[in-house]
Amino acid sequence: MMRFAYADPPYLGCGKLYAKHHPEALTWDDPQTHRDLLDRLVEEYPDGWAYSLSSTTLRTLLPLCPPTVRVMAWVKPFCSFKPNVNPAYAWEPVIVMGGRKRTREEPTVADFVACNITLRKGLTGAKPLGFSFWMFSVLGARRGDIMDDLYPGTGSVTMAWEAYTRQVRMFDDTG
Ligand SMILES: C[S@@+](CC[C@H](N)C(=O)[O-])C[C@H]1O[C@@H](n2cnc3c(N)ncnc32)[C@H](O)[C@@H]1O
């Protein structure tokens, strides 16, 4: 059994988007809050973790990570294009550390996923099912593992984990 975490806090500089959802949302505008989180991930989740951020803050946040992390990408073929923002911001980095070692027989997972933003309304940054399934595969997560969804928001990642582990169970049962 392995224990993984997915950390999806308010992105650096975007605390105000969550001020009505959480009293300490603005603390995420300080890089130190992200440094503390990254230190916690390294300390508490040696099996592996993934951390979402924006492409504009990668320059600040990547140096706060251990040198062994990998930078992966969530590419959004359809996203909200805004007037006067050209080129559009249409991908997000995902920093990943660790994960289960794979055998040669296992399928290879790409270091990017292309999937559209969720149509779920109400919370900026809710993650779509395709993103979550890809992130679980990147970590090599399996039924019986623990996936701590540290900033659940809509709960979509936790719901996806339940679906993912059910799917793996169906596979196991049918051979
Ligand atoms: C990017 S959203 C998470 C979206 C989630 N992954 C989803 O798919 O719905 C960040 C969440 O962190 C919450 N949050 C903000 N500040 C926080 C804090 N200091 N401690 C814990 N959660 C916080 C926000 O209210 C929001 O629900």
Side-chain angles (χ1 to χ4, degrees), residues 8-10 18 21-22 24-25 28 123 125-127 151-154 156-157:
D8 190 21
Y18 303 95
H21 300 286
H22 197 285
E24 287 170 24
W28 295 99
L123 191 82
K127 297 298 180 285
Y151 301 91
T154 59
S156 65
V157 175

Side-chain angles (χ1 to χ4, degrees), residues 50-53 70-74 92-96 131 134:
Y51 164 78
S52 281
L53 65 161
R70 286 186 61 178
V71 180
M72 306 203 184
W74 170 25
E92 291 186 7
V94 185
I95 296 178
V96 179
F131 170 88
W134 165 77

Side-chain angles (χ1 to χ4, degrees), residues 1-4 100 141-147 161 164-166 168-169 172:
M1 191 270 281
M2 290 191 152
R3 181 176 193 148
F4 302 113
R100 183 177 269 112
R142 295 181 188 160
R143 175 167 65 105
D145 291 340
I146 293 170
M147 181 66 61
W161 174 246
Y164 180 86
T165 51
R166 267 202 307 276
V168 174
R169 186 177 310 135
D172 290 351

